[in-house]
Amino acid sequence: MTGQRIPVPRLEGVTREQFMQHFYPQRKPLVLEGIDIGACTSKWTVDYLSQVGGTKEVKIHVATVEQMDFISKNFVYRTLPFDKLVQRAAEEKHEEFFISEDEKYYLRSLGEDPRKDVADIRKQFPLLEGDIKFPNFFKDEQFFSSVFRISSPGLQLWTHYDVMDNFLVQVTGKKRVTLFSPRDAQYLYLSGTKSEVLNIDNPDLVKYPLFSKARRYECTLKAGDILFIPALWFHNVISEEFGVGVNVFWKHLPSECYDKTDTYGNKDPKAASRAAQILDRALKTLAELPEEYRDFYARRMVLYIQDKAYSKNFE
């Protein structure tokens, strides 16, 4: 038995003012319908993308299973010309393949130098730029990245969180997205920013008993839908059909809060990383005590953290 299921609200024709005034402050996922994202929803067919995207080499994930796992890395990285990737990702069976004829492909576009440059569809795929309009719900200077994503049907991305606010713009195809509140992190068996629970629909509750307490926020995205994913909300995405999506990330904290080496938008803010290092040192110091004392003072520290740092504003 898994936890409570909550449908993500869907709203049509929301203006920037309504979004920023009423919905954004709630810090909850929301599907926006009926927003003009340009001609891409009808234009971005397999043929058109192959032709316009050209033969630029892209780095892709290739998996022989549907549930990708970033912790154990059950996939390989390969490169393909963009037009070939689009054609192969749209196929169920492949005549040309790396590992198996039913392997699955996933592109998360990168900057020119992924260690220094963020992904921006307008720079990496300039011929496609005119087809898509980003929702102008945030200021230009807050823009961080726009990530082109292409997925084979059936492919499932691991559950993870990002540290920036994010619009997932579903351009073509259909996705099922399951989200979990930051408050439920304690039930998700985290390794860094990722959850160890791969099969969220049929989890191993012997191995992950607390997962059944996590509340699931669920939605299906169709062409033209935009999902607002607030920072720190965990999300798990299944591509139900071949499709193209674009994530637009923006900085909602002052720029200096973010790690300058972060090109993906998923490194913890600098203050959080410093706090984790300090906590690590505190735990090493506690380890000098005998077990009985270590247990007693560790529990007192947890209570102190709850008292001083937990928000009183969450439900």
Side-chain angles (χ1 to χ4, degrees):
M1 174 63 196
T2 51
Q4 185 186 357
R5 291 169 179 253
I6 302 157
V8 175
R10 305 179 72 91
L11 289 169
E12 194 165 348
V14 172
T15 64
R16 180 189 181 182
E17 289 66 38
Q18 288 170 327
F19 179 74
M20 293 312 296
Q21 217 169 353
H22 300 294
F23 304 112
Y24 185 75
Q26 294 176 25
R27 311 297 298 151
K28 285 188 170 178
L30 178 67
V31 177
L32 302 170
E33 297 178 335
I35 288 174
D36 178 16
I37 60 167
C40 52
T41 48
S42 55
K43 271 176 99 168
W44 285 7
T45 60
V46 171
D47 288 347
Y48 178 81
L49 287 173
S50 305
Q51 190 187 336
V52 178
T55 57
K56 170 192 171 80
E57 292 270 318
V58 287
K59 187 178 179 183
I60 54 170
H61 303 65
V62 181
T64 55
V65 292
E66 292 193 334
Q67 285 166 343
M68 289 172 68
D69 179 0
F70 201 82
I71 299 169
S72 74
K73 299 278 202 301
N74 64 351
F75 51 83
V76 294
Y77 291 107
R78 292 290 183 265
T79 53
L80 270 179
F82 182 78
D83 56 351
K84 284 267 184 293
L85 160 72
V86 173
Q87 287 153 21
R88 283 206 208 172
E91 303 167 342
E92 290 283 351
K93 289 263 187 286
H94 317 296
E95 287 182 13
E96 294 178 52
F97 50 85
F98 294 108
I99 310 164
S100 69
E101 63 174 12
D102 55 358
E103 66 193 15
K104 298 193 175 296
Y105 303 98
Y106 168 58
L107 167 74
R108 184 233 185 263
S109 64
L110 303 166
E112 296 310 323
D113 178 346
R115 288 163 306 180
K116 294 189 196 142
D117 303 325
V118 300
D120 187 350
I121 191 172
R122 298 171 297 190
K123 289 180 183 161
Q124 281 98 47
F125 300 93
L127 295 176
L128 295 173
E129 181 188 350
D131 299 338
I132 184 164
K133 295 179 188 171
F134 298 151
N136 64 343
F137 285 18
F138 51 90
K139 299 188 181 92
D140 286 349
E141 61 269 24
Q142 290 178 285
F143 173 84
F144 176 70
S145 66
S146 59
V147 180
F148 203 6
R149 295 185 194 269
I150 295 179
S151 226
S152 292
L155 194 66
Q156 181 169 13
L157 276 190
W158 53 90
T159 303
H160 66 284
Y161 70 87
D162 301 296
V163 300
M164 294 185 193
D165 286 343
N166 162 16
F167 280 136
L168 170 51
V169 181
Q170 189 64 22
V171 179
T172 65
K174 206 162 85 172
K175 280 194 177 87
R176 192 195 92 185
V177 187
T178 304
L179 304 105
F180 301 94
S181 162
R183 288 304 298 274
D184 285 353
Q186 59 195 322
Y187 308 132
L188 298 180
Y189 297 87
L190 297 185
S191 174
T193 60
K194 302 154 193 81
S195 168
E196 290 178 17
V197 186
L198 283 192
N199 190 343
I200 61 168
D201 295 320
N202 191 17
D204 180 346
L205 293 179
V206 175
K207 193 174 180 185
Y208 306 116
L210 295 176
F211 185 73
S212 62
K213 296 187 175 186
R215 293 163 296 171
R216 300 166 60 114
Y217 291 75
E218 298 180 330
C219 61
T220 298
L221 301 181
K222 59 189 187 309
D225 285 347
I226 299 170
L227 171 62
F228 170 52
I229 305 177
L232 308 182
W233 273 75
F234 296 86
H235 43 288
N236 180 292
V237 181
I238 298 177
S239 294
E240 295 191 334
E241 302 168 351
F242 164 75
V244 178
V246 178
N247 283 91
V248 186
F249 290 91
W250 70 94
K251 299 175 179 182
H252 62 294
L253 305 177
S255 278
E256 60 273 15
C257 296
Y258 299 104
D259 186 324
K260 287 200 168 34
T261 66
D262 184 8
T263 56
Y264 284 82
N266 62 5
K267 284 191 180 175
D268 290 322
K270 290 192 295 192
S273 298
R274 282 203 310 276
Q277 289 165 355
I278 295 164
L279 177 60
D280 228 25
R281 289 204 294 277
L283 293 171
K284 285 191 175 91
T285 309
L286 270 190
E288 295 168 18
L289 292 167
E291 184 183 5
E292 179 188 359
Y293 286 80
R294 190 171 67 237
D295 180 274
F296 174 70
Y297 287 106
R299 288 172 192 275
R300 280 190 58 188
M301 281 170 73
V302 168
L303 291 170
Y304 187 67
I305 289 171
Q306 284 180 344
D307 183 48
K308 294 288 179 191
Y310 275 29
S311 171
K312 310 286 188 283
N313 295 327
F314 278 112
E315 64 211 41

